[in-house]
Amino acid sequence: MPTLVLLQGGEATPYQLSGEETVIGRLPECSIQLQSNMVSRKHARLIREGDRVFVEDMGSGNGTFVNGQKIENRVELSHDDRLKLGPILLRFESDSPPPKKPEPAPGPKSAPGTATVTGDAMSTVSDGDGAFNFELDSEDEDSATLMGTVDNASGFGVLEAQPEAKLKGIIEIARSLAGTVDTRAILPRILDTLFGIFPQADRGSILLKDPQTAKMIPAAQKHRRDEEDSTVRMSRTILNKVLKDKQGILSADAASDSRFEASESISALTIRSMMCVPLLDLAGEPMGVINIDTQNPVKQFKEEDLGLLLAVAGQAALSYESARLLVSHMEKMKRDSEMRIASNVQQALLPDKLPTVEGYRFFASYDSAQEVGGDYYDAMILSDGKVCLSFGDVAGKGVPGAILMSRIASVVQSTMRFTSDVGEAIQAINNHMCARSVEGRFVTYVLVVIDLETHEMSLVNAGHMSPLIRRPDGSIDEFGDETIGIPIGIMDEYPYDVVSRKLEPGETVVIVTDGVDEAMNPDGELYTKERVVEFVKANSPDPEELGKALLADVRRHANGRPQNDDITIMTFGRLA
């Protein structure tokens, strides 16, 4: 007949499993009654089906473990399997023992990792090198037995009390963490040092606040001994009080307190004494907690231990924050270096010099709001002697805009090698940009080809602000809005209109991106297109002088306010 053997107090007490169902729990009516507050009233049951025996948990507060593994569903038992219900260990013996199974390898003592603690569920935390369990017990607000609290002044506690011990602890934790910049490596080192400072500590854990969800996440854990149940448990009440009041808390021996015999969540903590202190960031706000406990009833923690832990935790938090900030600074330096390289690459996509043509003058300037930007211009002499001018403004700025800008730059260069026909070129450019386009990313664009023999200017406007043409008398000419098509990269085979106009001597063309007319001063006032028009009217007809003067006027208007968009200006014209 299968037997369940109770292993307690150095004795083995057998219980024969004669019935079809055997209920184990704390109540007298259970088939096997266990005298422990850490065992639920009806904790688990064994079910016989012929020669097979199964065990299943009955919704216990502390869980049922088979060979060190917490079970969720019915599990078949084999000879010599170990059952653990709270602190009670039992062994299952079958009628016909098979060859003994090898013992499972013990888990690691300490391993860092991350997992979100939700409700009363147990979280298995792993970083690929190991795993640990952390359980947050749900309780009423008055369930935890609190023996004392210590204010956490300046993150180090009150240093006037026990100054020598606290200084020694601070020096010890600072020495153990010196030179460590890996934040993942710091947390296990903190626990290793704390176990040296507090020799009575049996288990320790560090929880950090997730910056996105503000939930407390298990980040490191340490055990002094390998145990079948390596779960570290913590009272939700204590955790909330530590975070809210920014105080260190010393908890009483909840497991043996007669006032809480009926509370399964308190008894399940399996601790004799526990300390929990906050880790404060540089702003004095809790970024996490350190929790250590002991199961030794003789060597319980005292209030002076709590004060010492607060001081050590203050230095540990400072070391962790310093390492985190250093890592963040190093990452920023790397990103800045990469952005400078990207800026140099983008500048290389722009022409290093503009065409030099008798009777014409060309000017262009480009100033990105960030290291890289989404504005674009190009100028080249085509194989048939015509001049091509390309000018665009990508929707968006920064890295996304720069990537799209580099794409259109290469598309225009490759397209204009084979044609000088503006209508044919814009179709090819648009269709290419529509292929594998990213939603919401497009380019407002102007393509110009000038025939230097006839001085005929052919132009296509794809959703951009109309170019301004300054006549020799200062008046302004513009192409009508009906000639403006949609931005490129939106619709395949869109029928763009090509407009032509002869450039007369002394006429200058001005094209700008919206970073010019939308430039803002400290009072929030825009530069506006009207001001651009008036400035072009009143200033030099020389393309280079006009372009430089317009940029300077935009800078004067901004009056030191950082630009919020890329500023690009292109001016060209036929000399008088």
Side-chain angles (χ1 to χ4, degrees):
M1 182 176 296
T3 304
L4 195 64
V5 181
L6 172 63
L7 307 172
Q8 190 175 28
E11 299 181 0
T13 306
Y15 292 91
Q16 292 187 342
L17 306 178
S18 56
E20 294 183 356
E21 180 178 280
T22 302
V23 178
I24 309 173
R26 205 169 69 236
L27 294 178
E29 60 262 31
C30 291
S31 307
I32 301 177
Q33 184 183 12
L34 302 178
Q35 300 292 339
S36 173
N37 288 339
M38 289 168 279
V39 175
S40 299
R41 296 173 179 84
K42 290 187 176 182
H43 196 110
R45 64 177 177 175
L46 277 67
I47 303 167
R48 285 188 60 186
E49 295 182 359
D51 295 333
R52 305 169 69 187
V53 178
F54 300 85
V55 62
E56 64 180 28
D57 189 77
M58 300 179 68
S60 66
N62 199 26
T64 300
F65 293 80
V66 176
N67 298 327
Q69 300 295 319
K70 187 176 183 180
I71 65 172
E72 302 294 339
N73 303 306
R74 177 186 292 195
V75 173
E76 183 175 0
L77 293 177
S78 301
H79 180 74
D80 215 24
D81 278 350
R82 261 52 171 189
L83 277 70
K84 189 174 183 184
L85 286 67
I88 308 299
L89 184 65
L90 304 103
R91 183 179 71 245
F92 174 73
E93 297 179 352
S94 66
D95 289 332
S96 53
K100 187 175 180 181
K101 299 186 298 182
E103 290 288 339
K109 286 186 178 182
S110 176
T114 56
T116 303
V117 179
T118 56
D120 302 323
M122 178 181 294
S123 299
T124 300
V125 183
S126 175
D127 69 345
D129 298 324
F132 61 76
N133 295 324
F134 182 88
E135 188 170 332
L136 195 61
D137 287 281
S138 178
E139 316 170 353
D140 296 331
E141 284 301 316
D142 59 352
S143 302
T145 312
L146 305 182
M147 296 298 292
T149 62
V150 175
D151 287 330
N152 196 11
S154 302
F156 291 86
V158 182
L159 295 177
E160 287 78 2
Q162 295 181 282
E164 294 181 3
K166 290 179 180 178
L167 181 58
K168 181 181 178 181
I170 290 173
I171 293 174
E172 189 170 345
I173 194 74
R175 183 184 294 116
S176 68
L177 301 180
T180 305
V181 296
D182 183 358
T183 54
R184 291 164 58 89
I186 282 182
L187 300 178
R189 285 197 185 185
I190 292 174
L191 291 177
D192 290 340
T193 306
L194 290 177
F195 272 45
I197 296 174
F198 300 101
Q200 69 269 49
D202 289 315
R203 300 177 298 191
S205 58
I206 297 177
L207 279 68
L208 296 180
K209 182 180 290 186
D210 187 289
Q212 278 74 41
T213 64
K215 292 182 179 179
M216 299 306 299
I217 309 298
Q221 179 176 305
K222 182 177 176 64
H223 301 268
R224 192 174 293 279
R225 295 178 296 274
D226 289 329
E227 298 175 328
E228 288 188 57
D229 179 10
S230 60
T231 304
V232 168
R233 295 177 176 84
M234 187 175 178
S235 162
R236 188 186 300 275
T237 301
I238 291 176
L239 175 61
N240 291 337
K241 187 172 181 62
V242 169
L243 294 174
K244 179 182 177 182
D245 298 340
K246 305 177 188 178
Q247 291 181 328
I249 287 182
L250 173 63
S251 176
D253 183 359
S256 63
D257 194 325
S258 61
R259 293 175 297 170
F260 301 105
E261 287 182 354
S263 174
E264 294 181 9
S265 62
I266 279 289
S267 61
L269 291 176
T270 327
I271 61 173
R272 297 292 180 182
S273 181
M274 183 268 284
M275 295 187 295
C276 185
V277 299
L279 292 168
L280 302 184
D281 60 21
L282 298 179
E285 294 301 318
M287 66 176 183
V289 298
I290 296 178
N291 175 76
I292 61 174
D293 66 58
T294 178
Q295 296 171 284
N296 191 327
V298 178
K299 297 181 179 179
Q300 296 191 9
F301 295 123
K302 301 177 182 179
E303 285 202 30
E304 51 264 33
D305 294 320
L306 181 60
L308 177 58
L309 179 59
L310 270 173
V312 173
Q315 179 61 43
L318 182 62
S319 298
Y320 181 83
E321 275 284 85
S322 298
R324 187 183 64 82
L325 292 174
L326 178 58
V327 170
S328 177
H329 176 68
M330 293 169 64
E331 290 175 350
K332 183 180 183 302
M333 290 180 64
K334 181 181 178 181
R335 287 195 301 270
D336 290 346
S337 176
E338 291 173 348
M339 290 300 290
R340 284 192 294 270
I341 295 172
S343 177
N344 293 336
V345 171
Q346 187 177 39
Q347 288 292 332
L349 294 174
L350 301 175
D352 54 357
K353 61 180 181 179
L354 299 177
T356 302
V357 178
E358 185 178 355
Y360 282 84
R361 186 164 294 168
F362 302 89
F363 169 82
S365 68
Y366 171 76
D367 292 277
S368 62
Q370 301 176 15
E371 286 285 346
V372 292
D375 283 4
Y376 152 78
Y377 74 87
D378 201 354
M380 66 197 87
I381 298 179
L382 304 180
S383 58
D384 57 3
K386 297 178 182 179
V387 174
C388 174
L389 302 170
S390 180
F391 191 91
D393 185 357
V394 176
K397 49 186 178 290
V399 174
I403 293 174
L404 200 56
M405 175 270 197
S406 64
R407 184 180 177 191
I408 189 172
S410 63
V411 170
V412 172
Q413 282 280 346
S414 60
T415 299
M416 301 312 297
R417 289 176 184 269
F418 302 100
T419 182
S420 61
D421 184 276
V422 172
E424 182 181 338
I426 194 65
Q427 289 294 333
I429 295 169
N430 178 57
N431 291 343
H432 188 98
M433 295 299 293
C434 285
R436 299 180 182 180
S437 62
V438 179
E439 185 178 355
R441 295 292 177 182
F442 54 86
V443 184
T444 63
Y445 181 68
V446 176
L447 180 63
V448 179
V449 172
I450 303 173
D451 187 324
L452 298 178
E453 294 183 359
T454 64
H455 307 293
E456 192 79 14
M457 177 178 69
S458 299
L459 181 146
V460 169
N461 189 338
H464 199 79
M465 183 166 53
S466 180
L468 305 177
I469 304 173
R470 184 188 187 280
R471 298 190 183 96
D473 61 1
S475 61
I476 300 297
D477 187 19
E478 294 184 64
F479 295 104
D481 291 342
E482 69 278 1
T483 65
I484 301 177
I486 65 173
I488 63 174
I490 294 179
M491 182 187 298
D492 268 330
E493 304 296 340
Y494 181 82
Y496 289 97
D497 291 332
V498 178
V499 294
S500 297
R501 184 186 188 283
K502 184 176 181 180
L503 278 178
E504 301 294 342
E507 288 189 332
T508 301
V509 182
V510 178
I511 311 175
V512 298
T513 58
D514 54 12
V516 173
D517 59 293
E518 294 179 2
M520 195 177 293
N521 65 13
D523 296 328
E525 299 171 341
L526 299 177
Y527 191 79
T528 72
K529 181 184 176 181
E530 290 74 19
R531 182 164 175 173
V532 174
V533 173
E534 293 303 317
F535 188 88
V536 171
K537 282 182 180 179
N539 279 271
S540 171
D542 182 272
E544 185 173 353
E545 292 181 7
L546 179 59
K548 291 181 178 179
L550 178 59
L551 178 61
D553 194 57
V554 171
R555 296 291 186 208
R556 280 193 297 270
H557 171 79
N559 194 23
R561 175 166 179 160
Q563 65 187 75
N564 57 1
D565 201 354
D566 306 326
I567 296 175
T568 306
I569 299 172
M570 175 179 277
T571 55
F572 61 92
R574 186 178 174 190
L575 300 179

